[in-house]
Amino acid sequence: MTKFSDTAPILVTCPRDMPEYLHGELTGLGFSQATPLDAGVEVRGSLNDCMRLNLWVRTGHRVLFELKRFRAFDADELYREVKAIPWEAYIPADGYFRVDASIRDTTVNDARFAGLRVKDAVADRFTERTGSRPDSGPETSGVCLFLHWRENRATLYLDTTGEPLPRRGYRKRPHKAPMQETLAAACILAANWPELARQGGHFIAPMCGSGTLAIEAALMAMNGAPGLLRDDFAFTHVVGYDPDAWDDLLGAAEDAEVPEIKGRIIATDHDPAAIEAARDNARLAGVGDFIEFAVCDFTRTEVPEGPGVVMLNPEYGKRLGDQAELKAVYRAIGDFFKQRCGGKSGFIFTGNMDLAKCVGLRTKRRRVFWNAKIECRLLEYELYAGTRKGDGQD
């Protein structure tokens, strides 16, 4: 039986350009030896730690527990190395497992074939030792395995997550082109919102769409664990899983929630259907009482006095909206920032820097994020109260 207390390297994956924010999360969770990688952060810990990471991580996608690193020059050697792993210690004999693979520069050209060889090795070991084997297939309803194979170097992981972490479970009504939860969380962390929330600052999300930015901001402000919203994780199907230990983690997370937040979170959209979807999503996320929703043009959004973050995710002409019409929208955002948001930190998330020039304000900082295959920028503007010389676009 697997000991959930045994330690090994743990790889928490994330999109490129997000390891900085994931690293901050992991060090905040007590993983002092955290190593940023191109698309993830590696720490050392146990399967018990994997449970905690799945519960708390906001910017990661998967939590991978390393089982074995080995050299494999071809599919046959891959098969032999995988078959030598004591799979009966991880997968129930009457259980179910899934295999995913990522390969590059190997003698095998198809990741699906590499995954099939892993499946064969697992199944054959069970058959030879017990006379039967677990079922396998594409579902995430059992033990999940992940093969990472580059040239002749391979690593096999237990994917303790299953369905990726961005699928929090609250976005039942996505509306139009919603921002992924992980991306929203990274943008909000980049705005230093958690610290501002503790100080009583406000979070304002005009053009809120289905509400992802406001919901993620509310979860952070109330110290809500995003994994509390999930029904199932892959680690629950591993041999040795202790449901009482998971219940203890859930109870501690619930106890850690803040019943009230000091500032205000305001989300608006001109589309009543968007606000209806956002309200439903916020209710499912357990933050409906923390967000004030309103139907209005973004320029009429209430902006309370005091420090805060104003974050907009306008259309940028790649999938939605016409660029000629959007120029006027971006100019109006600049006017809104100047006339209504003095003393706040303003942010625009966009994948169109030509449109961003129409804002007419100098950026304080530009951070690169990828929205699917679109290279985007989170543009930060320091919005001074009153007038200030040198506001031209840089």
Side-chain angles (χ1 to χ4, degrees):
M1 185 172 69
T2 307
K3 291 184 179 179
F4 269 54
S5 58
D6 290 346
T7 62
I10 298 171
L11 174 62
V12 185
T13 68
C14 67
R16 49 184 167 168
D17 302 309
M18 283 194 203
E20 171 190 352
Y21 307 103
L22 177 58
H23 181 268
E25 284 197 85
L26 297 185
T27 55
L29 289 170
F31 293 90
S32 57
Q33 301 299 318
T35 304
L37 305 173
D38 289 340
V41 178
E42 188 173 87
V43 297
R44 188 172 184 88
S46 65
L47 282 169
N48 285 323
D49 290 317
C50 289
M51 293 198 297
R52 190 162 62 93
L53 288 167
N54 277 291
L55 179 59
W56 281 102
V57 164
R58 302 180 192 279
T59 57
H61 276 205
R62 297 183 183 277
V63 180
L64 306 176
F65 183 81
E66 184 178 307
L67 295 177
K68 187 177 185 179
R69 293 190 189 191
F70 54 93
R71 290 190 177 273
F73 292 89
D74 56 31
D76 291 338
E77 192 165 12
L78 172 69
Y79 172 89
R80 289 193 296 271
E81 290 287 349
V82 173
K83 190 177 178 183
I85 296 173
W87 291 110
E88 58 276 8
Y90 300 102
I91 305 173
D94 59 349
Y96 179 96
F97 71 99
R98 165 193 173 119
V99 179
D100 290 294
S102 172
I103 67 172
R104 191 173 64 231
D105 301 326
T106 66
T107 56
V108 173
N109 296 322
D110 190 341
R112 292 170 298 180
F113 180 69
L116 180 61
R117 293 303 283 157
V118 172
K119 283 184 182 180
D120 290 344
V122 175
D124 290 350
R125 180 182 175 98
F126 268 98
T127 300
E128 290 176 9
R129 289 173 177 260
T130 69
S132 63
R133 49 153 291 183
D135 290 334
S136 62
E139 304 300 324
T140 56
S141 56
V143 175
C144 295
L145 308 178
F146 180 76
L147 171 69
H148 183 272
W149 192 10
R150 299 290 184 268
E151 296 180 340
N152 62 359
R153 299 182 302 276
T155 308
L156 196 60
Y157 298 94
L158 272 180
D159 176 0
T160 67
T161 304
E163 288 294 317
L165 291 175
R167 297 176 189 171
R168 309 270 202 251
Y170 66 74
R171 200 164 67 185
K172 303 298 185 183
R173 301 181 61 179
H175 202 58
K176 299 176 183 177
M179 178 181 280
Q180 190 178 57
E181 294 87 337
T182 309
L183 176 57
C187 290
I188 294 164
L189 289 173
N192 197 33
W193 164 244
E195 179 62 28
L196 192 60
R198 286 190 287 270
Q199 298 171 4
H202 311 295
F203 189 93
I204 299 99
M207 301 181 175
C208 73
S210 59
T212 308
L213 281 168
I215 291 169
E216 291 293 324
L219 284 170
M220 290 184 198
M222 66 174 289
N223 196 36
L228 281 172
L229 309 172
R230 284 275 295 262
D231 293 329
D232 185 56
F233 288 99
F235 62 75
T236 64
H237 305 285
V238 176
V239 172
Y241 163 68
D242 181 0
D244 290 337
W246 178 236
D247 286 342
D248 289 343
L249 287 173
L250 295 178
E254 290 171 352
D255 291 342
E257 291 180 353
V258 177
E260 296 181 0
I261 60 176
K262 297 179 180 179
R264 296 171 64 187
I265 299 176
I266 298 171
T268 69
D269 200 285
H270 72 279
D271 184 353
I275 291 298
E276 185 179 352
R279 286 185 192 275
D280 286 347
N281 292 336
R283 177 181 52 80
L284 289 169
V287 297
D289 292 340
F290 295 120
I291 304 174
E292 303 170 44
F293 292 102
V295 177
C296 66
D297 185 80
F298 76 89
T299 60
R300 302 182 66 83
T301 301
E302 180 184 0
V303 182
E305 292 292 327
V309 170
V310 183
M311 188 171 289
L312 292 89
N313 176 26
E315 298 172 8
Y316 40 88
K318 299 292 185 181
R319 293 177 295 183
L320 297 173
D322 178 80
Q323 289 206 42
E325 295 179 2
L326 289 174
K327 287 183 179 180
V329 173
Y330 278 71
R331 283 193 290 270
I333 293 174
D335 292 340
F336 173 65
F337 276 168
K338 287 184 289 186
Q339 298 166 10
R340 302 282 310 284
C341 304
K344 306 290 190 295
S345 295
F347 293 86
I348 300 173
F349 183 86
T350 183
N352 191 321
M353 292 305 295
D354 288 334
L355 287 173
K357 294 176 182 177
C358 298
V359 174
L361 295 173
R362 186 179 301 278
T363 55
K364 177 183 178 181
R365 190 175 290 111
R366 303 179 180 193
R367 298 174 175 86
V368 175
F369 287 106
W370 286 81
N371 186 6
K373 296 182 179 180
I374 302 173
E375 184 177 344
C376 299
R377 296 289 188 279
L378 180 66
L379 308 175
E380 179 178 356
Y381 303 87
E382 191 170 0
L383 308 176
Y384 298 94
T387 58
R388 181 181 174 90
K389 293 182 180 180
D391 269 348
Q393 176 73 31
D394 60 345

